[in-house]
Amino acid sequence: MNGYTKKCLITGGAGFIGSQLARRLLLQGCEVTVIDNLFTGSKGNIYDLMQNPKFTFLIHDVTQPFWGQFDEIYNLACPASPIHYQHNPVETIKTSVLGIMNMLELALKTKARIFHTSTSEVYGDPDVHPQPEYYWGNVNTIGIRSCYDEGKRAAETICADYLRQYGVDVRMIRIFNTYGPCMHPHDGRVVSNFIVQALQNKNITIYGNGQQSRSFQYVDDLLDAIQLYMALPRAKVERFFSEKGIAVPVINVGNPGEFTIRELAEMVLALLPESKSKIINEDLPKDDPKRRRPDITLAKELLGWEPRIKLSEGLPKTIEYFRALIKGN
Ligand code: NAD
Ligand code: UDP
């Protein structure tokens, strides 16, 4: 649309991924409103955006309804790290379930296109490897990770029903472990933990024997996929998923490169040879998934996308971010 300024709402936009998305959309000329309750996000992540006249920040909890006229809604609000989502599990599941319902209501009333961040956690501790979208998962309904996993699964169901029942234009991505600048240094996730520990010469804490695996995606690759997906015409999205026999638009987005947690620790230490850190083993948390790797066939076909940034390239960029952050504190 010539001369038209797209209006975007980002929930959770003061967090790691949301703040990076806000920065990108502003650079592309969009008007961006961020709502966030600052549970795990921070004003520091969006400090540089505050002076931009096209940027608005509001403290708001997504469990409460929100009103405004937007072309696109990006629903990211939800703590993503196990230590944070387990801190107040009732609040976590409320954020997932009530948050998406409030945003879908807004999308329905204002005819906005809506994007929802789902997660590889919907597959739980998978017994199919790698995980395709067709796989329904292996999830404990009553464990310590369930507030997050089941909250996200319920959110997918709610998205599917708002699409079927009311025709809301909703698109979902199941994000696999993503890392990069703007992660919280005490977030508790493995990449940030290992880098911060190595920079501070503290012990590198491998939980369990370190043979569990994850696939790590650099944040820029995820942002590319989100933007390609949201730019697709609705008819194309509907045709694609109907041909694939998938009820609603949901795709995996992640980097299929799979590493054990021990390999990750060794890579971080190799990149920081001056570090005096030693690897130690601590107890494996309950219900910790053993393996995880995305099957990204659908994302490749639909978006013509695949990740470009290898772990060996993304880790140094992330190390530089944390080095500067720690030095500045
Ligand atoms: P993050 O914790 O850095 O960001 C989440 C943001 O949501 C924070 O700014 C937090 O303050 C805000 N928030 C939490 N509860 C809220 C509420 N009730 N109301 C308003 N704001 C609230 O996490 P992230 O890594 O940026 O994750 C963003 C989204 O992507 C989350 O929905 C997460 O589940 C999903 N995701 C992330 C990953 C990953 O590896 N980073 C993987 C899968 C899915
Ligand atoms: N992990 C670890 N040491 C840490 C933090 C995490 O060994 O300091 C392990 C954790 O047990 C899991 C993997 O790293 O097996 C990824 O953990 P993270 O919390 O980053 O993501 P998730 O488990 O949600 O995929």
Side-chain angles (χ1 to χ4, degrees):
M1 274 179 272
N2 258 349
Y4 179 76
T5 303
K6 195 160 67 180
K7 295 179 181 57
C8 303
L9 173 69
I10 307 177
T11 78
F16 158 47
I17 299 170
S19 61
Q20 300 259 33
L21 178 63
R23 196 163 287 107
R24 255 208 199 195
L25 289 168
L26 284 166
L27 277 172
Q28 292 162 357
C30 303
E31 265 179 33
V32 176
T33 299
V34 158
I35 58 175
D36 199 300
N37 69 355
L38 297 183
F39 173 47
T40 53
S42 75
K43 283 191 186 167
N45 276 345
I46 47 171
Y47 185 72
D48 57 315
L49 311 181
M50 294 289 194
Q51 303 305 321
N52 190 323
K54 289 186 172 168
F55 181 72
T56 305
F57 172 65
L58 300 168
I59 293 192
H60 179 85
D61 195 305
V62 292
T63 59
Q64 304 301 317
F66 183 78
W67 173 252
Q69 185 70 52
F70 302 96
D71 302 296
E72 294 179 354
I73 300 170
Y74 296 83
N75 187 44
L76 279 77
C78 189
S81 155
I83 53 166
H84 287 138
Y85 69 63
Q86 288 163 19
H87 171 75
N88 187 340
V90 172
E91 209 48 48
T92 299
I93 198 158
K94 276 169 72 180
T95 293
S96 273
V97 171
L98 299 178
I100 190 61
M101 289 198 83
N102 285 326
M103 289 308 128
L104 285 162
E105 279 297 319
L106 180 61
L108 174 62
K109 287 182 186 129
T110 59
K111 297 193 175 10
R113 179 169 292 171
I114 177 165
F115 169 77
H116 175 64
T117 47
S118 189
T119 168
S120 53
E121 296 284 339
V122 299
Y123 301 121
D125 190 6
D127 40 25
V128 169
H129 193 77
Q131 296 81 54
E133 291 82 349
Y134 308 94
Y135 175 52
W136 290 352
N138 175 36
V139 183
N140 180 356
T141 57
I142 53 171
I144 55 170
R145 293 174 82 100
S146 311
C147 58
Y148 183 74
D149 300 6
E150 293 293 350
K152 289 284 188 180
R153 284 169 68 95
E156 284 200 5
T157 307
I158 297 165
C159 287
D161 287 331
Y162 266 77
L163 188 159
R164 276 189 292 256
Q165 196 170 332
Y166 301 121
V168 172
D169 183 0
V170 58
R171 294 146 197 228
M172 294 181 267
I173 286 182
R174 292 179 182 152
I175 303 175
F176 284 65
N177 297 62
T178 301
Y179 69 97
C182 291
M183 287 184 97
H184 194 290
H186 304 298
D187 190 50
R189 280 180 274 190
V190 70
V191 173
S192 47
N193 266 12
F194 285 2
I195 293 177
V196 172
Q197 288 164 345
L199 286 169
Q200 297 183 330
N201 299 311
K202 293 183 177 158
N203 288 333
I204 306 271
T205 53
I206 289 186
Y207 302 157
N209 62 11
Q211 290 310 308
Q212 70 272 35
S213 74
R214 294 292 187 274
S215 301
F216 299 103
Q217 160 174 251
Y218 192 68
V219 62
D220 287 2
D221 282 329
L222 169 64
L223 296 179
D224 288 346
I226 294 175
Q227 292 213 282
L228 286 166
Y229 198 18
M230 282 297 270
L232 288 180
R234 181 170 189 170
K236 178 171 176 175
V237 174
E238 282 176 353
R239 198 168 50 246
F240 179 85
F241 285 95
S242 121
E243 280 167 15
K244 297 288 172 195
I246 300 178
V248 292
V250 63
I251 49 170
N252 290 334
V253 169
N255 190 322
E258 186 181 351
F259 296 84
T260 66
I261 297 306
R262 180 162 291 277
E263 284 171 329
L264 175 71
E266 285 162 359
M267 280 177 83
V268 169
L269 284 176
L271 288 164
L272 287 166
E274 69 281 14
S275 173
K276 296 183 179 55
S277 297
K278 299 267 172 295
I279 292 178
I280 60 160
N281 294 86
E282 292 189 351
D283 289 345
L284 188 67
K286 257 189 117 350
D287 292 345
D288 200 272
K290 284 181 272 308
R291 300 186 74 183
R292 200 180 286 149
R293 172 151 62 99
D295 178 332
I296 56 166
T297 310
L298 287 188
K300 275 188 188 165
E301 279 182 37
L302 177 67
L303 309 177
W305 167 94
E306 59 185 312
R308 288 174 297 132
I309 302 167
K310 292 195 212 109
L311 187 57
S312 56
E313 294 161 331
L315 279 180
K317 295 173 197 262
T318 312
I319 288 173
E320 285 327 305
Y321 167 77
F322 280 118
R323 198 197 295 279
L325 192 76
I326 289 168
K327 218 163 136 194
N329 282 336

